[in-house]
Structures are given as structure tokens and as C-alpha cells.
Amino acid sequence: MSGIKLTNVTKLYQEGDFKTIALDNISLNVASGEFVAIIGPSGSGKSTFLSIAGALLQASEGQVVIDNVDIASLSERKLSEVRLAKIGFILQTSNLLPYLTVMDQLLIVKKMSGSIKAADREHAKELLTEIGLGKKLDKYPHQLSGGERQRTAIARAFMNDPSIILADEPTANLDTKRAHEVVSLIAKEVKARNKAAVMVTHDERMLPYCDRVYRIEDGRLTEE
């Protein structure tokens, strides 16, 4: 099954005699074409969840399967290949490189995994046009609005045709109108391109765009 599946995942942090349970035996299954939201207060385990789902952090117990591959047993090199090929990240801040044009923000993703081909330029142009940035290909981040920067980041997340999209508070720095534009755009692209997507958010106004909503509190996950 393509998508992402977490089964009985626990994450413990041990400092001396103190043990902190960041994630407590959570299970979640997100199939291709599904857009799932996880809400919860600060310190509830949202960031730990995203780090484990994004192959940035290893679970203490349990299984994380991305596109039928259990990532727990992979070497660091294989994990970085999974992150590059299988996962698209959309962060709170757009994290664009100030010295690259909108077009080059996407092409650098291809450069990281090899060389840039003519088809890659076409794909980047198609993605950017689709999200309303077709006339901004040569602009630099400082020439864009906050919403345009975040849309560039969304296009970049889809550039490598990943199976999984992970969004970390993608509306944190946007006003209400731009926030709705950004999340509706993520939802639209997830459906159109058949990706499994998880968005961590504080912003409950964005939940109607999602197929399912989960709440995380004290490291425990429950469906709303």
C-alpha cells in the first residue's frame, strides 16, 4: 500500500533518571489521496510525530512504513534517500533560499538527487503555473508576498513527486485569507496528485479542508 503507516509508535527521551514520553503508542494510517490533520497544544508531541513520520527521528518502539518499506531498519544513507525521494516537507516558514529565483527553488531539489533535465524544468514550470506563480518564475523571495513564498514552498514539496506530504503549521505566518488559500491549495494538490498528506496545525479554521482530524495530547493520538 502506498502512503504512510505508523503502528504502535512510542518515543521516549531519557535524561538521567527522568523519562519523558513524547509519543505514547500511537497508530495512524494515511493512504494516497488522503489529507489528515493533527491538532494539539504546544508540547503535545506534534513535532516529534512529524520528525518520526518524516524519517528525521527514530521511534523508540513501533513501526513506520512508507510505501511498503519499514524505515526503522534503514541505514542513514538510505533514510536520506527516502526523505529526498518519498517525502515533501512544507514548513511554517517557507525556508526559501534568498539568492535563488522561484524556478530555481524547485530545480535545486532535482539537483540534490542528480542532474537537472529539460523535463524537470517543464515539471517545475507546470507546478508553479498550476499554483498561480507562472508569471513569477524569475522573481526572488524578497519580491514575493508571504502567501506567494508559501505557495513556492508547496510547489517545491511536490517537485520530486513524493508519496508523502508533511506540513508543519503551514499557515502560522499568514493572515486568514492567505491561510485559506494555502491550505485549500495543499488539499487540491494532494487530491490531484494522489499523495498521502499529514498537516500539523493549531489553526482549527483549516480543518474543513481535511478528510480526517486527529487530536494529540500528552503524546496520545485520538480521532476527532
Side-chain angles (χ1 to χ4, degrees), residues 52-213:
I52 287 173
L56 295 163
L57 192 63
Q58 203 160 15
S60 306
E61 293 168 22
Q63 195 180 46
V64 181
V65 174
I66 293 176
D67 276 359
N68 295 319
V69 175
D70 182 356
I71 64 170
S73 55
L74 298 183
S75 66
E76 195 44 60
R77 190 173 66 82
K78 284 283 182 203
L79 279 175
S80 73
E81 284 172 16
V82 166
R83 286 193 291 270
L84 191 57
K86 300 280 187 190
I87 303 167
F89 293 96
I90 303 167
L91 305 173
Q92 286 181 35
T93 51
S94 55
N95 273 33
L96 301 181
L97 295 164
Y99 50 84
L100 290 183
T101 63
V102 166
M103 181 75 155
D104 287 338
Q105 305 285 343
L106 273 64
L107 293 177
I108 196 167
V109 175
K110 280 293 173 195
K111 199 166 176 128
M112 285 162 73
S113 52
S115 57
I116 299 166
K117 303 178 182 69
D120 298 329
R121 289 182 189 280
E122 268 314 301
H123 181 46
K125 195 173 172 183
E126 175 203 328
L127 276 170
L128 289 163
T129 303
E130 199 170 283
I131 64 168
L133 292 172
K135 293 191 166 71
K136 306 269 180 173
L137 305 182
D138 300 326
K139 300 287 185 208
Y140 288 89
H142 73 273
Q143 297 171 302
L144 303 175
S145 68
E148 286 169 342
R149 285 198 288 273
Q150 199 59 313
R151 278 192 276 159
T152 304
I154 291 168
R156 182 180 60 190
F158 283 90
M159 182 63 193
N160 257 355
D161 198 25
S163 313
I164 319 294
I165 297 291
L166 298 176
D168 182 8
E169 301 278 5
T171 62
N173 301 316
L174 301 174
D175 61 40
T176 301
K177 181 172 178 284
R178 297 284 178 269
H180 278 285
E181 280 175 11
V182 159
V183 178
S184 68
L185 183 63
I186 295 171
K188 179 173 151 273
E189 291 293 322
V190 163
K191 299 294 178 201
R193 297 178 183 276
N194 204 33
K195 307 302 180 194
V198 180
M199 172 176 71
V200 158
T201 184
H202 277 104
D203 195 343
E204 303 212 2
R205 296 167 304 177
M206 300 303 134
L207 302 183
Y209 295 104
C210 301
D211 300 310
R212 283 182 286 140
V213 177

